């Protein structure tokens, strides 16, 4: 398996969150395959979709988990049981905010990808990007995530994130 730095993995997670939020399931399947090839684990992706529920809603998160399940059935037939358990958990339980399977950087990347999808979340995106700067990400890392959003998810999503980030940097 190709060893990839976490920086690229976080960028892929942001793009996965954006595609799931947009309901772009065909493109999501391709990006999930790429993420697995780049070193994301099934557990990380499972946990990512569980965390996404609060930002993209239960139906979109379940759709994403079902796409992941299809991939797992093709690549790793024995892993689909784990995803089935996760789907049942999302169906029946409210997920808590502490998700031990995901690094803080992954949680921040998910939120970036999900919030950048809609103009209605501009103020939340601004606050979130400020938090990213205050915590674990450098300006170059955030720019890289925005670039991956443009390449792997949607140019409008990336432009929205870039515009908010540029305003944030201008006022810093």
């Amino acid at each position: 398996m190709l060893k990839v730095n976490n920086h690229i993995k976080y960028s892929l997670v942001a793009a996965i969150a954006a595609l799931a939020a947009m309901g772009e399931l065909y493109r999501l399947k391709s990006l999930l395959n790429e993420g697995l090839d780049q070193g994301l684990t099934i557990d990380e992706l499972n946990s990512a979709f569980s965390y996404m529920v609060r930002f993209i809603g239960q139906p979109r998160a379940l759709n994403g988990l079902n796409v992941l399940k299809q991939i797992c059935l093709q690549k790793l037939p024995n892993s689909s049981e784990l995803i089935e358990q996760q789907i049942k958990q999302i169906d029946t339980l409210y997920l808590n905010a502490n998700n031990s399977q995901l690094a803080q950087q992954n949680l921040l990347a998910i939120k970036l990808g999900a919030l950048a999808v809609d103009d209605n979340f501009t103020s939340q995106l601004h606050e979130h990007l400020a938090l990213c700067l205050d915590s674990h990400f450098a300006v170059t890392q955030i720019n890289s995530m925005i670039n991956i959003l443009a390449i792997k998810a949607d140019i409008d999503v990336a432009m929205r994130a870039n515009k908010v980030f540029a305003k944030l940097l201008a006022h810093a």
Side-chain angles (χ1 to χ4, degrees):
M1 179 183 301
L2 183 66
K3 183 145 180 139
V4 176
N5 68 29
N6 285 337
H7 179 79
I8 292 172
K9 286 170 58 173
Y10 305 140
S11 297
L12 288 172
V13 168
I16 288 167
L19 288 175
M22 293 185 301
E24 293 280 344
L25 299 182
Y26 179 78
R27 292 174 56 211
L28 178 62
K29 184 175 184 178
S30 174
L31 194 55
L32 287 170
N33 272 309
E34 182 178 340
L36 288 168
D37 292 343
Q38 294 288 339
L40 285 168
T41 68
I42 292 168
D43 286 342
E44 286 174 320
L45 291 170
N46 246 347
S47 296
F49 283 112
S50 296
Y51 183 73
M52 282 181 218
V53 168
R54 70 190 70 234
F55 302 108
I56 68 173
Q58 184 178 10
R60 298 272 168 131
L62 285 172
N63 286 342
L65 274 172
N66 281 321
V67 171
L68 180 59
K69 180 183 171 187
Q70 291 171 6
I71 292 168
C72 290
L73 287 172
Q74 293 170 346
K75 286 188 172 195
L76 309 162
N78 297 334
S79 65
S80 65
E81 184 177 316
L82 177 66
I83 295 166
E84 279 296 332
Q85 291 171 349
Q86 196 72 27
I87 290 171
K88 286 177 187 173
Q89 184 181 29
I90 289 174
D91 274 339
T92 59
L93 300 174
Y94 180 78
L95 299 166
N96 68 32
N98 298 324
N99 201 326
S100 61
Q101 294 289 338
L102 292 175
Q104 181 66 23
Q105 294 91 339
N106 264 338
L107 299 176
L108 294 171
I110 289 166
K111 195 169 178 183
L112 168 64
L115 290 174
V117 169
D118 192 325
D119 278 328
N120 293 322
F121 299 120
T122 301
S123 63
Q124 293 96 326
L125 180 59
H126 184 273
E127 291 172 18
H128 179 66
L129 287 169
L131 175 66
C132 288
L133 283 175
D134 289 342
S135 57
H136 301 284
F137 289 111
V139 171
T140 55
Q141 291 173 311
I142 295 171
N143 278 328
S144 176
M145 279 195 286
I146 293 170
N147 287 337
I148 295 294
L149 282 173
I151 295 166
K152 303 289 184 183
D154 185 82
I155 190 69
D156 292 330
V157 171
M159 288 176 62
R160 187 174 298 109
N162 191 51
K163 182 179 175 183
V164 170
F165 191 49
K167 282 183 182 179
L168 176 67
L169 292 176
H171 291 109

